[in-house]
Amino acid sequence: ASAVRTRQNHAMRIGLTSDTHMPWRVQPLHAAHLIIHAGDHCELASLEVLTAIGLPVVTIHGEVDTAVVCASLPRETEVTTGNTRIAVIHNASPAAGHSTRLREHFPSAETVGFGHSHIPYIERDGDGLLIFTPGSPTDRRRRPLFTMAELVLERGRPPGVEIIDLDAHIRPNL
């Protein structure tokens, strides 16, 4: 686990993506403080794209990654940033029972980001655990949009997440 710090009283913005299946668009990530990738890079070129942005990167591998990617990255991880514990795993399936399973697997996490489905999803359980998947910037499957997510951490507020439509991206303040 690692920690990323930001100035007090300023929101930390974390760009989260997954299932990039190269090539892909990274424009929204440039304005983040931290980048999290929840697996399925496919090739190391994806990691090179992320690190070239020049921000801290937390990433894991998924089930379709090459053997080189899998050997280079963990299957899951946790990071503490902005006093918030964030867990990252690629496949949180099946959908039924997400929050219970993830709460048991990551008992100290306040939020869990995951990939795999390519379908954006956000849920906050009764105990306040925020779980979400950003969808995919390259393979929308049964959804109308290519997406990523922005996790916002502000002192004194629970973590919040927003799904970003990359086709309309053109949101200056990611």
Side-chain angles (χ1 to χ4, degrees):
S2 59
V4 176
R5 301 189 196 295
T6 188
R7 291 178 283 159
Q8 288 185 349
N9 300 325
H10 293 308
M12 173 173 258
R13 301 192 179 284
I14 300 171
L16 192 132
T17 190
S18 72
D19 301 286
T20 49
H21 304 278
M22 289 294 287
W24 57 289
R25 301 174 279 183
V26 297
Q27 297 88 343
L29 296 173
H30 288 277
H33 295 98
L34 170 69
I35 298 169
I36 296 176
H37 190 294
D40 276 5
H41 294 270
C42 288
E43 299 178 9
L44 278 179
S46 173
L47 188 54
E48 293 166 3
V49 168
L50 291 176
T51 57
I53 293 171
L55 297 169
V57 175
V58 173
T59 187
I60 60 171
H61 71 77
E63 82 280 346
V64 302
D65 289 324
T66 64
V68 173
V69 173
C70 290
S72 303
L73 301 174
R75 187 178 72 81
E76 60 189 49
T77 193
E78 292 184 59
V79 60
T80 299
T81 183
N83 297 320
T84 300
R85 187 93 173 148
I86 304 164
V88 186
I89 190 167
H90 180 67
N91 187 346
S93 295
H98 269 145
S99 61
T100 301
R101 232 179 10 268
L102 292 171
R103 168 67 70 204
E104 289 172 2
H105 193 73
F106 299 107
S108 64
E110 295 171 67
T111 185
V112 180
F114 61 97
H116 187 63
S117 72
H118 297 221
I119 299 170
Y121 175 84
I122 302 170
E123 175 186 346
R124 190 178 308 268
D125 74 6
D127 294 327
L129 178 66
L130 176 65
I131 62 173
F132 67 100
T133 183
S136 172
T138 60
D139 183 0
R140 63 181 184 223
R141 296 220 172 136
R142 299 172 302 276
R143 307 304 290 177
L145 307 173
F146 295 102
T147 58
M148 295 172 124
E150 178 184 52
L151 179 62
V152 179
L153 307 178
E154 285 188 85
R155 172 167 271 170
R157 294 182 179 208
V161 68
E162 179 181 343
I163 301 299
I164 298 169
D165 170 2
L166 292 175
D167 292 325
H169 165 242
I170 333 280
R171 212 181 80 186
N173 295 335
L174 173 71

